[in-house]
Amino acid sequence: MRLVVVGAAGRMGCALIRALLLTPGANLAGAIEREGSPALGQDAGALVGLPETGIKVSADPLAAFSQAEGVLDFTSPAATVEFAGLAAQARIVHVIGTTGFDEEHIQKLDAAARHAVLIRSGNMSLGVNLLAALVQKAAAALPDFDIEILEMHHRAKVDAPSGTALLLGEAAAAGRKVGLADAAVRVRDGQTGARVPGTIGFATLRGGSVVGEHTVILAGAGERIELGHKAEDRAIFATGAIKAALWGKGRPPGHYSMADVLGIADL
């Protein structure tokens, strides 16, 4: 499957290029960066410390998409929305690991998914998506337990809570049959009063080079359950994204999740 990496010079872009060059059944068809990036014109293989591929980093996504079967995208919300429109024009698979979308962004992605296979997740890790299914089950089975979600990432991460934390929050809310927007408590500061029953709390830590750590705590009277995941290498996100792209090839247009890819949507 011919795949384009956008945001090629970023942390995840480089991880995706490495994974593509080492994954049977997938080929690097293009590497895209923004105008003015110092990576433009560099060989994609050399960019990530591997042998040259003959594929130069470009700022022309439309040309690259027209020669590809899919795009791997861990960029920014505004950029991802633009790429979604181009992927829809090209009728190719669009795998999205970008986080931090607002409602307007989601509406535009839904519109693009009418013409392309769009697979989006707050975390492409296979383990995290299994964790989300377990969180949903636990939240449903323990309706009186308080739910708190703790996450930590590297100092350079720009959004909070993380997309993964929100993914886990959505899973917990689904287990309780409530909307996360109504149940979430993202900030506590000062005299907050007692915890409101049924809420889902979030706590965010930032520092160092932490790839990603998430813990979902279900706290009851006299006992506590902790379900967690620790990412040790960004390669796990790249592997999951490529798996998603391969799964999406030949599927009908639609807005899919990693739960669909893994066949655990109804776990």
Side-chain angles (χ1 to χ4, degrees), residues 109-133:
L109 294 179
D110 284 339
R114 291 198 289 268
H115 305 286
V117 176
L118 190 153
I119 305 166
R120 181 174 64 89
S121 178
N123 191 303
M124 288 290 166
S125 154
L126 308 184
V128 160
N129 284 279
L130 178 58
L131 173 62

Side-chain angles (χ1 to χ4, degrees), residues 10-216:
R11 287 187 182 89
M12 272 308 305
C14 289
L16 288 164
I17 291 171
R18 287 190 201 95
L20 274 175
L21 295 177
L22 299 172
T23 301
N27 294 303
L28 180 66
I32 302 300
E33 259 298 339
R34 67 187 184 284
E35 291 285 359
S37 168
L40 292 177
Q42 292 187 45
D43 184 273
L47 179 68
V48 301
L50 293 175
E52 292 195 359
T53 62
I55 296 171
K56 304 296 184 182
V57 178
S58 164
D60 186 358
L62 187 57
F65 288 13
S66 69
Q67 302 298 315
E69 296 169 282
V71 53
L72 306 178
D73 179 359
F74 288 69
T75 55
S76 67
T80 291
V81 167
E82 286 192 32
F83 291 135
L86 297 177
Q89 289 180 44
R91 301 295 198 272
I92 60 176
V93 177
H94 188 185
V95 177
I96 299 172
T98 306
T99 60
F101 295 109
D102 61 25
E103 191 56 39
E104 184 178 353
H105 293 138
I106 298 300
Q107 290 174 3
K108 291 179 179 178
L109 294 179
D110 284 339
R114 291 198 289 268
H115 305 286
V117 176
L118 190 153
I119 305 166
R120 181 174 64 89
S121 178
N123 191 303
M124 288 290 166
S125 154
L126 308 184
V128 160
N129 284 279
L130 178 58
L131 173 62
L134 296 175
V135 167
Q136 181 172 341
K137 286 289 187 183
L142 302 168
D144 297 327
F145 278 52
D146 298 323
I147 299 176
E148 294 287 318
I149 300 172
L150 172 66
E151 59 102 338
M152 183 170 185
H153 284 82
H154 54 89
R155 62 166 64 97
K157 187 166 179 62
V158 298
D159 58 317
S162 69
T164 303
L166 294 173
L167 172 73
L168 296 171
E170 291 283 4
R176 295 280 171 86
K177 292 182 168 51
V178 298
L180 182 60
D182 298 323
V185 176
R186 297 197 183 192
V187 178
R188 294 189 180 103
D189 185 39
Q191 296 296 319
T192 61
R195 191 183 198 282
V196 177
T199 54
I200 299 171
F202 290 85
T204 297
L205 305 177
R206 293 286 178 266
S209 58
V210 177
V211 174
E213 297 185 6
H214 296 84
T215 303
V216 179

Side-chain angles (χ1 to χ4, degrees), residues 213-229:
E213 297 185 6
H214 296 84
T215 303
V216 179
I217 302 167
L218 295 99
E223 60 182 332
R224 185 169 72 244
I225 297 167
E226 296 185 4
L227 302 172
H229 180 272

